[in-house]
């Protein structure tokens, strides 16, 4: 989205994904793609064409492994693991068998067959609501481009490794492979027309510590190489031909942000305590064992949510008990003595196993997912429960079930846990007999029977994303009704309070691991409602800690009393903003 300004200044607004401000000449990368044409083959040419495809796949695999090695050396194993998803595309027999079938049945050339099949897969992924899975379409297109380049002997027009002058990259998109080539000595920052905060490209930009903005719309088609621009990675803005006034304003922004970042670094190892002495447990959410390193680096006090489903996605076969055990142990050992809360599989909705033929559902988020899936696919569930129980021997592991909607589901899940414990005892496999088990409160039904659930659990974790979605009947990915997705809706406030009160009666603790826990504006409201723990993405922990250390619990409780008696979501949000901006203005400056 572009805005014209005075003196030729033009502003493009997008999504900030990596903080910082830079300025310099821009380099616009064109959408260079090899032309793929359809060629007819004779029966005698088909075998050789399949062989040509296999050679291109092998060549692509070697290239990706080399990129992965360089990224791991330069940025670390976590960033290198991004390319595991690329390698899995090359091993996806469903995809490759379909390509071979198209070659042989339609008697067409390998590049046309591969492009056709892979693009169909990528288009399907791109249409999924889940950010993580939607971004896998980018991975598939990255791999597809490599395979096609190798089949056609095509070289990319711009080699990013050989940029010699400082510049800001502007492109329709940057694949993880492109981003891996960036030399931060010369690439000041980058901006793309498409993308999201969860894309691998965004993750790598944060690892490189260069400012980045995505989702600009059509900026790459409007801009030209050599133009002068300022890129704001805090607010997601690219300013072309900035005025002197803009430079002055951004000088102040940089000064403010430098000061804030120093303040956040200063409190990393300090306790999360309010001004009147109330202790809050501040944890982080992770998706793989390697993320545990980031938890400690950002000053979190453990993991409040390990999303185990990401161990199962993008692979032909689900991980077995042993493989899961190793992953859970790795995370637990890295965190020791800090706690690790492992959530059992939350598949379904928009996250599916590649090897399973999941039913097409009219309302997948209301269908066969999470604990419902696990209680029917008991072999998969038992393997996970055994792996978690075995990992609990580390002493800092807890477990919770997703999307519990009734007591029957909880009783069935707990019965399976007891069966697994009995099996492990008979096999002399050690585990923590006192491992705490909790449940996610994500449905209105769970909140309304929280007292019954609390009698059978050691803790609750409120998943505010789904609780809001289900309570308000709002799909927040639907742009037409996204404005109805209101975390401060009075119904949500009442359901959270009901959950906390039930937990207090049964003397169990309550966490929040949804997006509300990572929004500094809403944190005082949650604490005032009586929440014990907040868990957010690792990078969002420092600003939440910064805010809590400037807050009084009495202020939070007064805010909660107002919210519980207020009938307007907008008024509740306004009061939250007034409080937080008053006690921690530097968190909200320049925003």
């Amino acid at each position: 989205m572009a805005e014209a300004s005075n003196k030729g200044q033009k502003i493009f607004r997008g999504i900030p994904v990596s903080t910082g401000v830079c300025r310099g000449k821009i380099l616009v990368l064109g959408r260079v793609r090899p032309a793929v044409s359809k060629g007819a083959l004779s029966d005698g040419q088909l075998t050789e064409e399949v062989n040509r495809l296999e050679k291109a796949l092998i060549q692509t695999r070697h290239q990706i492994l080399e990129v992965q090695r360089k990224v791991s050396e330069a940025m670390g194993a976590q960033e290198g693991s991004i390319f595991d998803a690329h390698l899995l595309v090359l091993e996806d027999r469903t995809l490759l068998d379909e390509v071979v079938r198209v070659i042989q049945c339609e008697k067409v050339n390998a590049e046309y067959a591969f492009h056709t099949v892979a693009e169909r897969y990528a288009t399907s992924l791109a249409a999924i609501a889940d950010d993580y899975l939607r971004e896998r379409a980018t991975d598939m297109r990255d791999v597809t481009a490599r395979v096609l380049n190798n089949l056609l002997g095509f070289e990319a027009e711009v080699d990013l490794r050989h940029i010699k002058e400082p510049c800001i990259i502007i492109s329709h998109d940057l694949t993880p492979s492109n981003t891996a080539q960036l030399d931060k000595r010369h690439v000041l920052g980058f901006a793309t027309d498409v993308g999201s905060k969860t894309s691998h490209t965004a993750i790598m930009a944060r690892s490189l510590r260069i400012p980045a903005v995505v989702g600009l719309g059509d900026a790459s088609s409007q801009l030209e190489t050599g133009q002068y621009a300022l890129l704001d990675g805090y607010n997601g803005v690219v300013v072309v031909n900035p005025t002197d006034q803009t430079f002055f304003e951004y000088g102040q922004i940089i000064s403010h942000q430098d000061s804030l970042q120093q303040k956040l670094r200063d409190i990393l190892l300090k306790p999360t305590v309010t001004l009147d002495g109330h202790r809050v447990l501040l944890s982080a959410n992770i998706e793989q064992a390697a993320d545990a390193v980031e938890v400690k680096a950002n000053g979190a006090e453990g993991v409040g949510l390990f999303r185990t489903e990401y161990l199962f996605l993008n692979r032909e076969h689900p991980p077995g008990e042993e493989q899961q055990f190793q992953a859970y142990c790795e995370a637990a050992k890295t965190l020791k003595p800090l706690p690790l809360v492992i959530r059992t599989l939350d598949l379904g909705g928009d996250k599916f196993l590649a090897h399973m033929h999941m039913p097409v559902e009219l309302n997948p988020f209301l269908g066969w997912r999470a604990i419902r899936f696990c209680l029917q696919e008991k072999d998969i569930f038992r393997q996970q429960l055994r792996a978690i129980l075995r990992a609990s021997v580390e002493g800092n592991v807890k477990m919770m079930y997703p999307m519990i909607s009734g007591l029957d589901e909880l009783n069935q899940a707990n019965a399976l846990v007891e069966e697994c414990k009995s099996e492990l005892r008979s096999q002399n496999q050690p585990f923590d007999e006192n491992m705490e088990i909790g449940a996610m409160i994500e449905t209105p039904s769970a909140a309304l029977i929280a007292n019954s659930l609390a009698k059978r659990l050691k803790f609750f974790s409120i998943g505010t994303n789904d609780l809001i979605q289900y309570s308000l009947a709002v799909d927040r990915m639907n742009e037409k009704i996204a404005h109805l997705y209101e975390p401060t809706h009075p119904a949500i406030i009442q359901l959270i309070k009901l959950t906390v009160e039930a937990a207090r009666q049964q003397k169990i603790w309550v966490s929040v691991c949804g997006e509300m826990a990572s929004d500094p504006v809403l944190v005082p409201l949650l604490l005032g409602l009586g929440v014990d723990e907040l868990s957010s993405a690792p990078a969002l922990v420092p600003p939440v800690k910064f805010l809590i250390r400037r807050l009084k619990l009495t202020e939070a409780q007064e805010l909660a009393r107002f919210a519980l008696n207020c009938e307007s979501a907008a008024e509740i949000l306004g009061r939250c903003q007034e409080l937080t901006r008053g006690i921690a203005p530097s968190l909200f400056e320049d925003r």
Side-chain angles (χ1 to χ4, degrees):
M1 176 182 171
E3 300 173 9
S5 184
N6 58 340
K7 300 182 182 178
Q9 177 174 285
K10 201 169 188 179
I11 299 173
F12 294 82
R13 299 189 183 278
I15 302 166
V17 295
S18 184
T19 58
V21 174
C22 63
R23 59 185 185 180
K25 289 185 178 180
I26 64 177
L27 171 63
V28 180
L29 302 183
R31 298 178 70 175
V32 182
R33 293 178 180 173
V36 179
S37 57
K38 184 177 182 179
L41 303 177
S42 66
D43 289 343
Q45 293 175 299
L46 297 180
T47 301
E48 178 53 37
E49 197 65 10
V50 173
N51 289 338
R52 195 164 74 86
L53 172 66
E54 293 292 344
K55 288 177 184 175
L57 293 173
I58 292 169
Q59 186 179 359
T60 303
R61 180 177 178 79
H62 288 319
Q63 290 169 346
I64 293 173
L65 286 169
E66 180 62 13
V67 171
Q68 185 176 51
R69 183 186 66 78
K70 289 180 178 177
V71 169
S72 296
E73 289 176 356
M75 301 184 207
Q78 184 178 353
E79 285 71 21
S81 69
I82 283 171
F83 293 92
D84 289 342
H86 293 211
L87 294 169
L88 286 170
V89 173
L90 298 175
E91 297 164 6
D92 186 341
R93 289 316 315 175
T94 305
L95 168 72
L96 300 179
D97 289 348
E98 176 64 10
V99 175
V100 172
R101 188 196 67 76
V102 171
I103 292 172
Q104 294 176 333
C105 295
E106 298 184 21
K107 298 180 182 179
V108 292
N109 51 320
E111 50 269 41
Y112 175 81
F114 193 89
H115 173 72
T116 302
V117 175
E119 185 56 31
R120 187 166 70 240
Y121 274 61
T123 300
S124 298
L125 283 170
I128 292 174
D130 182 87
D131 283 345
Y132 180 91
L133 290 177
R134 191 167 59 242
E135 288 301 336
R136 301 302 70 79
T138 303
D139 295 332
M140 178 159 280
R141 287 180 171 134
D142 192 354
V143 176
T144 300
R146 282 188 175 275
V147 173
L148 293 177
N149 286 346
N150 290 327
L151 282 167
L152 295 167
F154 182 87
E155 289 290 336
E157 188 176 279
V158 178
D159 187 341
L160 298 177
R161 293 168 297 185
H162 297 145
I163 294 174
K164 298 300 182 186
E165 295 181 356
C167 64
I168 297 171
I169 300 287
I170 305 287
S171 178
H172 176 74
D173 194 10
L174 276 180
T175 65
S177 295
N178 293 148
T179 313
Q181 296 180 38
L182 299 181
D183 183 343
K184 61 184 296 183
R185 293 173 300 175
H186 300 305
V187 177
L188 305 172
F190 71 78
T192 60
D193 296 339
V194 298
S196 74
K197 287 188 175 182
T198 58
S199 70
H200 283 160
T201 297
I203 293 168
M204 295 180 73
R206 291 191 285 271
S207 297
L208 286 165
R209 299 189 185 281
I210 59 175
V213 178
V214 301
L216 289 172
D218 61 350
S220 67
S221 64
Q222 293 192 46
L223 300 178
E224 296 178 6
T225 295
Q227 288 181 297
Y228 198 84
L230 184 150
L231 186 149
D232 171 7
Y234 294 111
N235 300 293
V237 174
V238 174
V239 184
V240 181
N241 299 324
T243 62
D244 290 342
Q245 177 62 26
T246 299
F247 279 132
F248 173 75
E249 290 170 0
Y250 270 94
Q252 293 184 311
I253 288 177
I254 292 169
S255 176
H256 288 154
Q257 289 297 335
D258 285 347
S259 173
L260 174 60
Q261 293 306 314
Q262 184 57 52
K263 290 175 183 175
L264 296 183
R265 283 191 292 271
D266 289 344
I267 63 161
L268 273 184
L269 300 179
K270 293 182 178 178
T272 311
V273 183
T274 62
L275 290 174
D276 47 2
H278 178 69
R279 187 78 164 82
V280 180
L281 183 62
L282 199 51
S283 302
N285 304 333
I286 65 172
E287 293 167 1
Q288 55 185 352
D291 295 340
V293 175
E294 285 296 301
V295 174
K296 286 187 169 181
N298 283 282
E301 299 168 270
V303 166
L305 169 61
F306 184 167
R307 298 184 175 99
T308 59
E309 55 271 16
Y310 293 105
L311 295 171
F312 288 70
L313 300 174
N314 291 322
R315 55 192 308 147
E316 287 188 57
H317 305 288
E321 176 185 328
E322 194 61 33
Q323 193 172 354
Q324 291 185 66
F325 167 67
Q326 294 295 339
Y328 305 148
C329 278
E330 180 188 340
K333 287 176 180 175
T334 303
L335 288 166
K336 265 187 175 180
L338 303 178
L340 170 69
V341 178
I342 301 175
R343 182 177 70 185
T344 59
L345 272 174
D346 188 6
L347 287 170
D350 53 11
K351 297 190 285 287
F352 303 107
L353 294 178
H355 72 286
M356 290 190 71
H357 299 291
M358 303 288 277
V360 176
E361 298 181 291
L362 188 61
N363 294 300
F365 282 96
L366 303 179
W368 196 43
R369 61 166 295 200
I371 197 67
R372 301 168 181 178
F373 171 88
C374 289
L375 290 175
Q376 288 189 35
E377 295 293 327
K378 290 184 180 177
D379 288 344
I380 293 175
F381 197 28
R382 283 177 187 275
Q383 284 193 335
Q384 180 171 45
L385 293 176
R386 284 175 55 93
I388 295 172
L389 283 166
R390 289 173 57 198
S392 72
V393 77
E394 296 294 336
N396 59 335
V397 172
K398 308 174 195 291
M399 181 180 77
M400 63 183 178
Y401 311 120
M403 203 186 164
I404 292 291
S405 60
L407 196 54
D408 188 48
E409 289 171 337
L410 177 59
N411 288 338
Q412 287 184 58
N414 280 341
L416 278 173
V417 171
E418 291 306 316
E419 288 179 22
C420 290
K421 285 183 175 181
S422 181
E423 289 173 6
L424 292 173
R425 289 189 199 102
S426 67
Q427 296 164 359
N428 293 319
Q429 289 266 25
F431 64 91
D432 180 2
E433 291 277 2
N434 299 311
M435 181 184 73
E436 292 187 13
I437 296 179
M440 299 280 292
I441 303 298
E442 301 172 279
T443 64
S445 62
L448 291 169
I449 63 161
N451 198 53
S452 296
L453 297 176
K455 294 173 185 176
R456 296 157 175 87
L457 294 164
K458 294 297 184 183
F459 65 92
F460 286 149
S461 185
I462 303 175
T464 53
N465 300 2
D466 273 340
L467 184 62
I468 296 167
Q469 171 176 258
Y470 291 133
S471 300
L472 305 184
V474 173
D475 174 5
R476 61 184 174 147
M477 301 306 294
N478 185 331
E479 293 181 3
K480 291 185 178 180
I481 58 171
H483 64 283
L484 299 175
Y485 184 90
E486 296 178 299
T488 54
H489 190 290
I492 304 303
I493 309 302
Q494 296 290 343
L495 289 171
I496 293 173
K497 183 61 176 175
L498 198 64
T499 302
V500 171
E501 287 177 344
R504 288 288 171 272
Q505 279 190 335
Q506 301 302 326
K507 296 182 172 55
I508 67 173
W509 52 276
V510 184
S511 173
V512 173
C513 62
E515 288 184 18
M516 283 182 74
S518 62
D519 187 343
V521 169
L522 301 178
V523 162
L525 178 59
L526 293 173
L527 298 183
L529 290 168
V531 168
D532 302 296
E533 177 188 13
L534 302 171
S535 191
S536 65
L540 300 177
V541 168
V544 171
K545 181 183 286 192
F546 180 82
L547 180 100
I548 292 173
R549 287 176 57 85
R550 280 157 180 72
L551 173 73
K552 291 179 182 177
L553 181 62
T554 52
E555 294 172 319
Q557 290 169 335
E558 183 181 341
L559 173 65
R561 281 193 293 272
F562 169 81
L564 288 165
N565 290 289
C566 183
E567 297 178 339
S568 166
E571 287 183 28
I572 295 171
L573 178 59
R575 187 66 70 92
C576 291
Q577 291 171 332
E578 182 183 345
L579 172 60
T580 52
R581 291 176 186 274
I583 62 175
S586 57
L587 272 184
F588 305 100
E589 288 173 349
D590 318 319
R591 302 298 172 99

